[in-house]
Each structure stands twice: as C-alpha cells, then as structure tokens.
Amino acid sequence: MINRELQEYIEREILPRYDLHDAAHRRDHAMSVIERSLALAERYKVDSNMAYAIAAYHDTGLIEGRENHHTASKRILLADGYLSQWFTPEQIATMGDAVEDHRASSQSAPRTIYGCIVAEADRQIIPEVIIRRTIQYTLANCPTLDREQGYARMVEHLDKKYNYGGYLRLWLEESENSCQLERLRQIIANREQLRRLYDAIYDEETTK
C-alpha cells in the first residue's frame, strides 16, 4: 500500500510536470512506469513507497532537456524537502541514485535494486509502443523532418538502441522485456513489416 499523503502529494505536485513534456514522456508514461515499478517492487519485496516516488520523479528533469535529464531528475528529487516527511535521508539518497541510474544509455549497472527496478520499468519494450514513442518524439523535437526523413531517423534510433549490439541493457533477467526485445529485433530485421507499422502509426499521430 502506498502512503496516502505521499500519493496525494505526487499526484498534485509532481505528475502535472509531465504535462509539459513531449508526447512520448507525458503523464501516461509516468503512470505506466509507476505501475510497472510497483509490480517489480512487490516481486523483489522492496519498499513500495520508495519505488513509487522514484518512478514519479524519474523523468522530471526533461524540463531541462533530454541529454542530462537523469541528473536533473536526481537534483529535483533531492531538492524536494517535502519528501523528508516520508523518507529518511538515507532513503532519499538511494532514491536519487536510482533516478540518476535509470537512463537507458548507461553502460553501468544501477547501484541498487531500486535503480534496476525503475530502469526496467522505464524500458517498456513493446514494439508498437517503442515505434509510436519514437515517432512522437521526432514530431515534437524534429518538426522539419518529413515522413521519409522521420522513418530514416527511427530506423537509425532502433538500430543504435535496440538491435543486436545496441546500447540498451536489461538489468532484471526475470522481466518480460527480454522476450519483447527479441520480438522488436525481429521486426527491425523485417524492413517491410517495420515500414508498415511506421506508416500506420505515423498517420495516426499526424491526424490527431
């Protein structure tokens, strides 16, 4: 059970910050990471309140830009004095480290199980969701790219991050992400299928 006052504070003061982000990182993304983090916290029998707060803060730093959003998110969490109502200084420090460690491009394992949990929850490796979020990000941040240029950017991104040899690392072997990652890699290899998915989702996103 999540502390009611903590939950009310997060829902009132923290989650609304995601409304200012691009479509791939808005409140629905934060809620999904929270849900997955809580499920993993139960599986690994760790503090659910900590896992909840970490997930809630993990992308708050995007307001300062994507490149260093993980360190900005940590700074935002550590600077939030209200958290001392529910957590000890040691817990807050652990939470800050976990937020910082969630970034997918990190080649080092998270320092704690909490970092592993939020990193894994943030992956959300569902091929169709990955493709949609990539398109959403491109539309929001690279508006001058046309359909074909957007497709080329997506392929480059998928190859660099998710394909064999890509930089993505999974830290919890028991997660369903491993199977989903293999399915995504098969779609990446099948360029006709990938293109069909891209065109269908691109049309949906550009006609909203």
Side-chain angles (χ1 to χ4, degrees):
M1 294 290 293
I2 302 302
N3 180 285
R4 181 178 58 81
E5 293 181 351
L6 170 64
Q7 184 174 1
E8 290 176 352
Y9 174 73
I10 293 292
E11 291 178 351
R12 183 179 68 252
E13 301 294 338
I14 304 305
L15 293 182
R17 301 185 184 200
Y18 286 82
D19 297 338
L20 302 175
H21 296 169
D22 64 88
H25 297 91
R26 289 189 182 146
R27 197 183 306 214
D28 59 336
H29 169 66
M31 293 303 298
S32 179
V33 175
I34 286 172
E35 180 180 356
R36 290 161 63 86
S37 290
L38 290 177
L40 288 168
E42 183 176 356
R43 180 184 303 177
Y44 288 95
K45 301 187 185 308
V46 298
D47 191 311
S48 293
N49 286 305
M50 290 177 64
Y52 172 75
I54 291 164
Y57 282 82
H58 85 283
D59 270 349
T60 52
L62 282 170
I63 195 67
E64 298 183 19
R66 186 170 181 80
E67 181 62 28
N68 296 304
H69 78 281
H70 55 306
T71 56
S73 297
K74 176 180 182 177
R75 186 171 66 252
I76 290 169
L77 184 150
L78 294 180
D80 192 338
Y82 285 98
L83 292 177
S84 62
Q85 299 178 60
W86 306 292
F87 303 104
T88 67
E90 293 75 17
Q91 288 175 316
I92 292 172
T94 297
M95 290 157 56
D97 288 345
V99 166
E100 185 176 40
D101 291 345
H102 88 274
R103 186 165 187 168
S105 59
S106 175
Q107 296 302 295
S108 300
R111 284 164 279 189
T112 67
I113 183 60
Y114 291 100
C116 291
I117 285 172
V118 69
E120 195 72 23
D122 188 45
R123 299 301 185 263
Q124 297 180 300
I125 303 178
I126 301 172
E128 295 78 8
V129 173
I130 294 295
I131 292 170
R132 185 178 299 278
R133 291 184 65 198
T134 303
I135 292 171
Q136 290 173 335
Y137 181 86
T138 301
L139 290 172
N141 294 279
C142 310
T144 61
L145 299 185
D146 61 20
R147 178 189 292 260
E148 296 305 315
Q149 292 169 324
Y151 176 73
R153 181 194 176 278
M154 183 193 72
V155 171
E156 180 182 9
H157 171 69
L158 294 179
D159 279 334
K160 184 178 180 181
K161 182 174 181 179
Y162 297 101
N163 217 345
Y164 297 105
Y167 64 76
L168 180 76
R169 297 291 181 270
L170 300 178
W171 307 115
L172 297 178
E173 295 181 359
E174 299 85 352
S175 171
E176 65 183 25
N177 279 333
S178 295
C179 293
Q180 291 281 22
L181 180 58
E182 184 57 35
R183 187 165 78 89
L184 176 58
R185 286 169 172 169
Q186 292 174 6
I187 293 173
I188 294 172
N190 186 337
R191 287 295 201 252
E192 291 184 3
Q193 181 183 9
L194 180 61
R195 183 63 200 229
R196 286 196 301 271
L197 283 170
Y198 172 83
D199 283 336
I201 296 173
Y202 184 91
D203 288 341
E204 291 175 3
E205 291 295 323
T206 54
T207 56
K208 287 182 177 180

